[in-house]
Amino acid sequence: MAELKLQFTEAGLARLLSAKDSGLKGEITHMAFGDGAYTPSKTQTRLHHERERIEISDYQGDGKNLRMAGVFEGNLEYAIREIGIFLSDGTLLGVYSQPDRTLGYRTAVVRLIQWFTLNIEALPTNSVNVVTGSENLNLVIDEEFAQMATVQINTMHRQLQQEFRLLGLEKKTN
């Protein structure tokens, strides 16, 4: 199977060049996912069958690649066959898709964090920033941390109770 590559769009590249000419950077803010499978076009301005768009919640960059993450929530379920990267003004920067290829699967049951790597070497130098949305991934597992803290507190409570019982038994035997 052929390697999956991002198709940058003419509109996205034009937006980055316009921003760079103004001394600014294009801001990547969202990833969109859909269930259309096709060969992306550089003239494309939207996904063929977008199912949801999520804010970027976290990212890492090394100068060549941007590794971005977003959180899926809600009860949608579908095969992910197209992924779009969007700038802050809604311009489609690039698309991943391929005919007859499923890239992933979105389930309704699991709150999912989706990581996505974007190679930026083909973009004008210093032309993009990633802007994270309102949900910080450090808070994604807040419920899990609360559950873990509850278990630890209950364990410590049982250990203290056991210690007090042991001290009581020692006093009776002395």
Side-chain angles (χ1 to χ4, degrees):
M1 186 177 295
E3 181 67 27
L4 189 64
K5 293 185 179 166
L6 180 77
Q7 173 65 61
F8 287 107
T9 66
E10 290 175 346
L13 291 173
R15 178 71 180 100
L16 291 182
L17 288 172
S18 174
K20 186 170 176 141
D21 289 346
S22 300
L24 304 171
K25 293 183 180 185
E27 296 180 332
I28 298 173
T29 58
H30 288 80
M31 295 184 282
F33 300 84
D35 57 12
Y38 53 90
T39 301
S41 164
K42 64 182 177 181
T43 60
Q44 198 169 328
T45 58
R46 61 180 181 79
L47 296 183
H48 284 195
H49 196 246
E50 183 175 324
R51 298 294 303 270
E52 68 187 309
R53 193 174 294 200
I54 60 176
E55 289 183 327
I56 295 179
S57 301
D58 197 4
Y59 79 97
Q60 302 164 342
D62 64 7
K64 294 181 182 182
N65 295 294
L66 294 174
R67 189 166 182 253
M68 301 172 283
V71 179
F72 288 110
E73 292 186 282
N75 58 3
L76 291 176
E77 187 164 331
Y78 59 93
I80 299 171
R81 294 190 177 106
E82 59 181 333
I83 302 171
I85 304 298
F86 286 85
L87 300 173
S88 61
D89 67 352
T91 302
L92 178 62
L93 176 61
V95 180
Y96 279 103
S97 189
Q98 193 173 63
D100 304 318
R101 183 167 180 188
T102 299
L103 306 174
Y105 196 82
R106 162 79 157 96
T107 65
V109 178
V110 178
R111 184 176 188 205
L112 178 69
I113 300 171
Q114 178 65 51
W115 283 95
F116 181 82
T117 301
L118 173 65
N119 183 293
I120 57 172
E121 290 179 299
L123 298 176
T125 306
N126 295 321
S127 64
V128 293
N129 270 340
V130 178
V131 178
T132 57
S134 59
E135 181 168 358
N136 183 325
L137 281 184
N138 292 330
L139 302 177
V140 168
I141 52 178
D142 56 349
E143 184 176 333
E144 290 81 0
F145 277 135
Q147 290 172 353
M148 186 173 64
T150 301
V151 168
Q152 288 177 331
I153 290 169
N154 288 339
T155 300
M156 288 187 296
H157 182 252
R158 283 191 303 275
Q159 287 173 336
L160 283 172
Q161 287 176 323
Q162 185 177 11
E163 182 68 27
F164 290 138
R165 273 183 280 185
L166 183 60
L167 288 173
L169 288 173
E170 287 176 351
K171 281 183 182 180
K172 285 182 183 178
T173 59
N174 288 338

